[in-house]
Amino acid sequence: MYGEEGYENSVTNLTGFHPAFPQMLQYEKNFCVNSLKSHSSVIHWEEGSWLSYQFLKNLKCGSSQKMDMSESLVVCDVAEDLVEKLRKFRFRKETNNAAIIMKIDKDKQLVVLDEEHEGISPDELKDELPERQPRFIVYSYKYQHDDGRVSYPLCFIFSSPVGCKPEQQMMYAGSKNKLVQTAELTKVFEIRNTEDLTEEWLHEKLGYFH
């Protein structure tokens, strides 16, 4: 866990890994620091992000080995029909669980619709996700609070399984921030293994937003 100061220091220290690192980690930094301010200045960072995980693992190198990340980082646009679908999804009236699964069209460099599901539980949703390819999910979830209240949060889940191709991971990780902003979502989570997507996991993550 990091307090706000600890997280800021960790990001500062990470800049030594690569000159493009601060730009690529900006979304995670802003989201986590904002979460820290909203949740007693404490946040669990175990979920991390593919950028922080993979860069720390593979890109700690001397200056002579640094590659030009500005050329390799791709930020994909969001398809216009998907933008409209996401807008309508935010204002849906139904009270059942529902999911929009999105993928990247590599040739067009666009985030596009992959699948839509109605009445789908977290455990059923995980079975719809590929085990070796990233996916973006917007999930409308019927959340039963401990005090008996019911709410319907919209969750953004970035499925980034271990074992995906590095260039594919880069494209998805680089495009996540833009998609989150387009969908206008604040509850943003990440999984590194599709098996982690369970009812218990989602309840734990949503518990930080009480």
Side-chain angles (χ1 to χ4, degrees):
M1 294 191 296
Y2 291 102
E4 180 177 350
E5 181 180 355
Y7 181 74
E8 290 282 356
N9 290 338
S10 71
V11 171
T12 301
N13 294 336
L14 288 176
T15 60
F17 286 89
H18 197 279
F21 204 90
Q23 174 189 359
M24 301 173 73
L25 202 59
Q26 190 61 45
Y27 171 71
E28 281 78 5
K29 173 182 174 181
N30 290 343
F31 176 74
C32 288
V33 169
N34 288 337
S35 297
L36 290 168
K37 293 177 179 177
S38 302
H39 307 292
S40 305
S41 296
V42 175
I43 190 170
H44 293 271
W45 184 243
E46 72 275 8
E47 67 194 25
S49 69
W50 182 82
L51 288 173
S52 58
Y53 174 86
Q54 194 71 12
F55 283 11
L56 284 172
K57 181 180 178 183
N58 295 333
L59 297 182
K60 184 176 181 181
C61 54
S63 58
S64 62
Q65 296 174 298
K66 291 176 181 177
M67 58 183 176
D68 187 357
M69 296 297 296
S70 62
E71 293 183 2
S72 58
L73 176 64
V74 175
V75 178
C76 296
D77 289 326
V78 184
E80 291 185 8
D81 59 339
L82 179 56
V83 172
E84 179 62 18
K85 186 175 290 292
L86 289 170
R87 187 192 67 80
K88 291 180 179 179
F89 194 73
R90 288 184 64 231
F91 297 104
R92 68 191 295 269
K93 302 298 184 182
E94 295 81 2
T95 58
N96 62 327
N97 297 342
I100 293 178
I101 302 176
M102 295 156 285
K103 63 182 180 181
I104 288 179
D105 185 321
K106 184 178 179 181
D107 295 332
K108 296 180 180 178
Q109 292 193 359
L110 277 178
V111 180
V112 299
L113 177 67
D114 186 19
E115 299 176 3
E116 293 181 89
H117 296 278
E118 291 280 344
I120 187 169
S121 70
D123 292 278
E124 291 168 335
L125 180 57
K126 73 181 179 183
D127 293 334
E128 300 298 328
L129 301 176
E131 296 181 356
R132 291 292 182 268
Q133 293 182 34
R135 286 294 186 270
F136 300 123
I137 306 104
V138 174
Y139 189 38
S140 178
Y141 177 64
K142 185 176 181 179
Y143 179 40
Q144 183 80 40
H145 296 258
D146 293 336
D147 60 8
R149 291 179 297 116
V150 176
S151 61
Y152 302 90
L154 276 180
C155 308
F156 183 95
I157 303 171
F158 177 26
S159 175
S160 178
V162 175
C164 296
K165 295 179 180 179
E167 62 271 19
Q168 196 175 37
Q169 292 276 21
M170 287 288 291
M171 186 173 287
Y172 275 81
S175 303
K176 182 180 75 169
N177 185 22
K178 185 168 186 176
L179 180 55
V180 168
Q181 292 174 342
T182 298
E184 300 182 41
L185 300 177
T186 57
K187 296 175 175 62
V188 181
F189 311 122
E190 181 174 333
I191 55 174
R192 296 281 298 160
N193 186 326
T194 56
E195 292 300 314
D196 292 339
L197 182 52
T198 63
E199 199 100 33
E200 293 74 18
W201 174 87
L202 190 54
H203 270 251
E204 178 185 352
K205 298 305 177 186
L206 289 172
Y208 298 140
F209 291 87
H210 283 175

